[in-house]
Amino acid sequence: HANYKIMEKLTEILNPYVPEGQAIRENTDLVADLGLDSLKVMNILEAVEDAFDISIPLNVLPDVHTVADFALQIGKIDGDD
C-alpha cells in the first residue's frame, strides 16, 4: 500500500482538480476519473515536486495510472519505501 503520508499530501495537491462530488481513493484513475489533461498533469507534477522536494523523471509517467501508482513512484523517488 501507498505510504499514508504521501497519499495525504497527494490528495491535498489533487483536490482542486477533482470533479465535484468525487472522492480521491488509491484506485482513482488520474486520467479516466479525474479527466486530467497534460497541462493539469504538469501543474500537479510541479506541485508534487515542490511539496516533496523531489524531481520526478518523466519516464515514470507511463507507469502512473492511479493515485496509488503516483504515491508509489513518489515514495521510490523520495527514498521512503
Side-chain angles (χ1 to χ4, degrees):
H1 274 293
N3 179 316
Y4 178 74
K5 276 184 5 203
I6 292 175
M7 275 301 291
E8 202 173 33
K9 191 78 181 157
L10 195 50
T11 301
E12 225 172 87
I13 292 167
L14 290 170
N15 259 335
Y17 300 95
V18 179
E20 190 70 36
Q22 186 162 341
I24 295 179
R25 296 188 172 80
E26 285 193 13
N27 65 348
T28 299
D29 189 292
L30 298 170
V31 176
D33 296 330
L34 302 185
L36 298 179
D37 59 31
S38 54
L39 182 63
K40 287 178 182 170
V41 168
M42 293 319 282
N43 289 340
I44 290 167
L45 280 178
E46 209 170 281
V48 166
E49 288 182 336
D50 289 349
F52 292 96
D53 195 26
I54 58 174
S55 180
I56 298 172
L58 294 178
N59 65 341
V60 304
L61 293 184
D63 297 328
V64 174
H65 300 288
T66 65
V67 175
D69 292 342
F70 201 5
L72 190 70
Q73 292 299 332
I74 293 167
K76 283 183 186 172
I77 297 163
D78 207 23
D80 277 349
D81 50 40

